Amino acid sequence: LRFSCRRGGGLVQVGGSLRLSCVASGLAFDDYVIGWFRQAPGKEREGVSCISSSDGYTVDIDAVKGRFTISSDTAKNTVYLEMNNLKPDDTGVYYCAADRAFGARCLQVRATGVSYDWDYWGKGTQVTVSS
């Protein structure tokens, strides 16, 4: 299994856009939910968005609704996070993760103060939004 966050991270000004991608090679994509998480300096890791590729079910946290869009391409075993109208509070290291579970597992991205014990984690990619 190879699980990686590819491209997309970087430095952007307030209001700008970035697209993160997460590739999961060797994984039965439809059997997993894929989530994006982020961690800002000095803060706990938090969930951002999640998708169940088998049925398209998605969950976003309130802070990114209307600005971030998660999508998947099952043929490429890839999940994308399109981030628009970026704000300084979006700064952090972004991680993708996969968990072999039903779509309801995605609801965990809205939980705080929990341990996200997902099966696989990609290496993070830095997103910095400058004001």
Side-chain angles (χ1 to χ4, degrees), residues 46-119:
E46 66 172 351
V48 177
S49 297
C50 179
I51 187 167
S52 172
S53 295
S54 62
D55 58 11
Y57 176 66
T58 63
V59 175
D60 302 304
I61 60 172
D62 290 344
V64 306
K65 281 185 177 180
R67 300 189 299 120
F68 290 13
T69 302
I70 189 169
S71 62
S72 68
D73 184 335
T74 54
K76 296 181 179 180
N77 268 28
T78 301
V79 170
Y80 303 98
L81 185 67
E82 185 76 34
M83 305 186 294
N84 299 311
N85 191 20
L86 283 160
K87 303 176 180 181
D89 284 349
D90 295 319
T91 294
V93 178
Y94 282 69
Y95 302 87
C96 61
D99 201 46
R100 186 181 177 95
F102 294 111
R105 180 66 157 165
C106 276
L107 293 171
Q108 193 185 44
V109 300
R110 295 179 61 85
T112 58
V114 301
S115 175
Y116 303 108
D117 55 342
W118 289 39
D119 294 330

